[in-house]
Amino acid sequence: MTESINTTKDLKFYSQKSIGISTFIGGPMAAGYLIKENYKALNENDKGKTALIISILATIAIFGTLFLIPETIIDKIPNMLIPAVYTGIIYLIVNKIHGTILDTHEAHNNAFYSGWKAAGIGLISLIVLAAIIVASIFLIPDEAYDAYDAEMEQFTKNEEASLVFYEHLNTEDNLSLLNEINAIAIPKWKENIEIIHRSNSIEGLPSELLEQSKKLLKYSKLRIEAFELFRKLIINDSEAYDAELNRVHAEIEAVIESLN
């Protein structure tokens, strides 16, 4: 059997295992850099640049997708699963493009870069990625949050205007109370329902705010139900609605507690 020619004896590479470790620590971007360095050793710089660009795009795609997945689903995914998946994919890619070269290089006992150096590059990639994520969360203005806050500000104003009714219950006459219910309280809560529907259509709204909107929608409908019961109570001058009012107010309190 003819022994293969040692064409890479003067070159130095990152091994497949080292690239896998670096990828697990620092994501596809770390792998892209190490693959680029291996291409550089082979004097194939253009292929190396392409590999790095693809790795950056893959990193953006992976973590961008993770941000879009609801937290309720993310919480069910084991912490190590996603890094294990993209590390496995990178390992197969490296095997396909450089597997034969690296295997031959190792068979001739040629030099490889230290696994510690590869791990260090993975750590640097992780730090860079973490810095970008932190900047995107805390430094870059979030239009979705701003739009939602503006809607909630109006929601709160409507809530405060309607709840003044409770201060008037023992001070105003029935006609004034009915006018307040019909002209202010119920219309304000109907407007709040429209506000919730508008806020739910805001692009990029986080899952926790969508969940909060569900509770606010229930809260608004309960407020309308309460004011409609007050209207019946005043018109009929009857205590027959007291039990139903107590039930609705208990449900309102439960929703408020869940929001807090």
Side-chain angles (χ1 to χ4, degrees):
M1 182 174 180
T2 305
E3 186 178 348
S4 60
I5 301 173
N6 188 5
T7 58
T8 60
K9 62 181 179 178
D10 297 323
L11 305 180
K12 205 169 183 179
F13 297 109
Y14 288 97
S15 69
Q16 202 167 341
K17 181 179 178 181
S18 293
I19 293 174
I21 293 170
S22 184
T23 303
F24 190 83
I25 296 171
M29 190 163 59
Y33 177 81
L34 299 185
I35 293 170
K36 179 184 79 70
E37 290 299 294
N38 281 354
Y39 270 124
K40 183 179 178 181
L42 294 167
N43 199 28
E44 297 179 339
N45 291 327
D46 288 343
K47 290 182 179 179
K49 290 177 183 177
T50 301
L52 182 59
I53 291 170
I54 291 173
S55 72
I56 293 171
L57 293 175
T59 301
I60 293 170
I62 289 170
F63 288 93
T65 301
L66 290 177
F67 275 121
L68 296 176
I69 298 175
E71 288 185 16
T72 52
I73 296 177
I74 288 291
D75 290 342
K76 296 177 182 178
I77 300 175
N79 292 336
M80 296 295 105
L81 179 61
I82 294 172
V85 169
Y86 61 63
T87 297
I89 293 171
I90 292 293
Y91 195 89
L92 292 174
I93 291 172
V94 173
N95 186 63
K96 183 176 179 60
I97 61 176
H98 286 154
T100 302
I101 293 171
L102 295 177
D103 287 344
T104 304
H105 192 72
E106 184 179 13
H108 285 98
N109 295 316
N110 295 332
F112 284 93
Y113 288 108
S114 164
W116 288 107
K117 183 175 181 180
I121 290 170
L123 183 59
I124 291 171
S125 175
L126 178 63
I127 292 170
V128 170
L129 183 60
I132 292 171
I133 292 173
V134 169
S136 67
I137 294 173
F138 295 105
L139 300 181
I140 301 174
D142 193 325
E143 293 182 2
Y145 278 107
D146 291 343
Y148 186 83
D149 287 344
E151 294 286 10
M152 288 303 104
E153 184 177 350
Q154 184 57 50
F155 182 100
T156 301
K157 288 179 180 178
N158 289 345
E159 179 184 37
E160 291 173 349
S162 73
L163 297 185
V164 173
F165 171 84
Y166 286 86
E167 298 175 14
H168 297 163
L169 265 175
N170 297 319
T171 60
E172 301 291 335
D173 58 54
N174 286 349
L175 182 58
S176 297
L177 291 174
L178 284 174
N179 286 336
E180 192 168 351
I181 290 171
N182 294 327
I184 300 174
I186 290 179
K188 290 295 183 184
W189 285 106
K190 287 183 177 179
E191 183 182 341
N192 277 354
I193 289 175
E194 293 175 5
I195 286 172
I196 293 165
H197 289 315
R198 281 202 308 271
S199 68
N200 284 343
S201 66
I202 296 172
E203 188 174 352
L205 199 65
S207 58
E208 63 268 18
L209 292 185
L210 289 172
E211 188 63 32
Q212 177 176 285
S213 289
K214 290 180 182 178
K215 295 177 181 179
L216 289 175
L217 183 60
K218 181 179 180 181
Y219 174 58
S220 300
K221 290 179 178 179
L222 284 169
R223 284 294 186 189
I224 290 175
E225 187 177 354
F227 282 115
E228 287 176 343
L229 286 169
F230 271 122
R231 182 166 55 192
K232 291 178 181 178
L233 186 153
I234 294 169
I235 291 173
N236 297 310
D237 192 21
S238 169
E239 296 180 357
Y241 303 98
D242 287 353
E244 191 69 6
L245 260 173
N246 289 336
R247 177 194 63 79
V248 173
H249 281 135
E251 289 188 36
I252 288 172
E253 290 300 320
V255 175
I256 291 173
E257 187 175 344
S258 70
L259 286 166
N260 294 333

